[in-house]
Structures are given as C-alpha cells and as structure tokens.
Amino acid sequence: MTPLPRRLLAEFLGTALLVAVVVGSGIAAQTLSPDDAGLQLLENALATVLGLGVLIVVLGPVSGAHFNPVVSAAEWWQSRGSGTGLGTRELAAYVIAQSGGAIGGAVLANTMFARPAVSWAATERAAAHLWLGEVVATAGLVLVVFCLVRTGRTAVAPAAVAGYIGAAYWFTSSTAFANPAVTVGRAFSDSFAGIAPASVPAFVAAQLAGGVIGLLLVAGLFGRAPAGRDQEAVMPHPASRS
C-alpha cells in the first residue's frame, strides 16, 4: 500500500507539472505566434495532451494521477462504502495537494519565461456560454474516466483522458479547463492560458456541476457501482480508506 504522503507528493507534483505545461506552452505560443490565436490554441492543446498523457503514465501507479479535485471527489463518491478508493480525509488532502501544486506550477512557468513569479491574469472569462462549456468539458471528463473504471479498461486511461482533453480544447467554448485546481493555478499567470481571479468561482461552480452530471451519466449507463469493487481513478493505485 502506497503511504499517503507519497500519494500526496505525486498529486502535488503531477498537478504542478500539468499547470506548468499548460501555462508554459501558453506563454511560448504567445511568443512564437503572436498574431494567430488559432495557432496559439493548437500549440497549447498539443503540449497539454502530450504532457498530461506522460504524467498519467508516470504518476498513475502512485496516486491514481487525478490531478483534479473533481476526479478525486468522484472517486470518493463512487467508492463510498466499498472499502476501496479515497476516504474523506484522503480526499481533503488530495484537494489541498492538487491546489498547492497548481499554484506552484503557474509560478514555475512564469519564472521559466522570465516573467514575474505571480502575475494575476487579466483575461475575463465570465459568460453563460463559457460556463456551459465547463459543465460539458468536466462532465465528459468524469464520464470518460469512470466508464473506463467500470469496464476495467484503465490501462488506456493515459491516451483516453489526454485525448479527450485535447479534443475538448477545441469543441468547448471555454477551452476545457475542466479542473478546479488548474483553474486556480491559471489565475496566477497573465498569459494566453490565464483566467482573471474574479472569473474563477463561476468556472469552479460549473466544473462541480459538470462532475455531478458526469457521475449521473455513469450511473445511467452502468447502474450503481457494485459493492466491494475497486473504483479507483484515473489509474489503479494502492489507497486506503480513512
């Protein structure tokens, strides 16, 4: 059984590196393609897909490679009463580690590109169609993750999850943040990938709503999770209930 501190380190490190990839590639895209927003999005999305896939492969066996409070909360809910998955205190610890990692990743990316360590984002993302995009993006992510869990196909999670996020960059109006921790982290960088702090609460609320919808869709497709069956996401990981 992997000790909780090691799992928390994996979640902190994974979320930090994910945000560093998202923010860093956004800054690089602005520098390399200053007059082409479509190309900037392509560069940002491609880097995110590749980085996320690698991070899931490398850190998944330690912590599950959630890197996302919604995914952690969904695992906690799906596995309640089963004796597997995250317990309540573990969930709280995961969320703290993910949020801290996201902020650290943004600071790291800013510093690597010789920007102020903290530069509050100025990009306002406050409109109903963007919130709907976040609901759709997050519901789809939860659906992908837990359909794989329920059908025993978590081995393909690195490709499936990264592929879905890459697609959602393009088919959602919000460019698929789909992650409360990453959303908070992206507020710390005034770059292509940034989000103004005032826009964060509504984005997080939309993501939480999307997570609930995703779980309802999983239940509609597969019924309630069987008692005693592992519901660990994104990758199987040796966790204890607490």
Side-chain angles (χ1 to χ4, degrees):
M1 180 178 297
T2 305
L4 181 59
R6 293 183 185 176
R7 287 185 272 140
L8 296 180
L9 176 59
E11 286 298 300
F12 177 90
L13 180 62
T15 313
L17 290 176
L18 174 59
V19 173
V21 168
V22 172
V23 172
S25 64
I27 295 172
Q30 279 184 305
T31 303
L32 297 171
S33 312
D35 301 318
D36 192 334
L39 185 54
Q40 291 175 12
L41 183 61
L42 178 61
E43 293 160 348
N44 190 212
L46 180 59
T48 300
V49 168
L50 296 175
L52 178 57
V54 169
L55 289 170
I56 293 173
V57 169
V58 171
L59 298 174
V62 180
S63 67
H66 297 181
F67 314 146
N68 188 332
V70 171
V71 172
S72 297
E75 180 187 297
W76 168 78
W77 180 259
Q78 286 282 87
S79 62
R80 68 196 189 283
S82 70
T84 65
L86 295 179
T88 303
R89 284 178 291 178
E90 289 175 316
L91 170 61
Y94 264 51
V95 172
I96 292 170
Q98 292 157 353
S99 300
I103 295 170
V107 170
L108 175 61
N110 288 336
T111 305
M112 285 194 295
F113 284 89
R115 295 190 172 199
V118 175
S119 56
W120 297 111
T123 304
E124 295 286 343
R125 302 179 189 263
H129 69 282
L130 299 178
W131 301 331
L132 177 59
E134 282 302 289
V135 171
V136 171
T138 312
L141 175 61
V142 170
L143 181 65
V144 168
V145 168
F146 286 94
C147 281
L148 294 177
V149 170
R150 295 292 290 274
T151 56
R153 295 181 295 158
T154 53
V156 301
V161 172
Y164 172 77
I165 291 298
Y169 255 81
W170 289 91
F171 78 76
T172 64
S173 57
S174 62
T175 66
F177 286 46
N179 184 327
V182 168
T183 303
V184 170
R186 288 167 73 158
F188 283 73
S189 180
D190 189 17
S191 63
F192 176 78
I195 177 172
S199 300
V200 168
F203 256 53
V204 171
Q207 291 156 0
L208 294 176
V212 172
I213 293 171
L215 284 177
L216 290 174
L217 291 172
V218 172
L221 290 169
F222 297 101
R224 184 170 179 175
R229 181 174 175 179
D230 289 347
Q231 297 297 318
E232 296 170 347
V234 173
M235 299 281 287
H237 55 101
S240 62
R241 299 285 291 183
S242 60

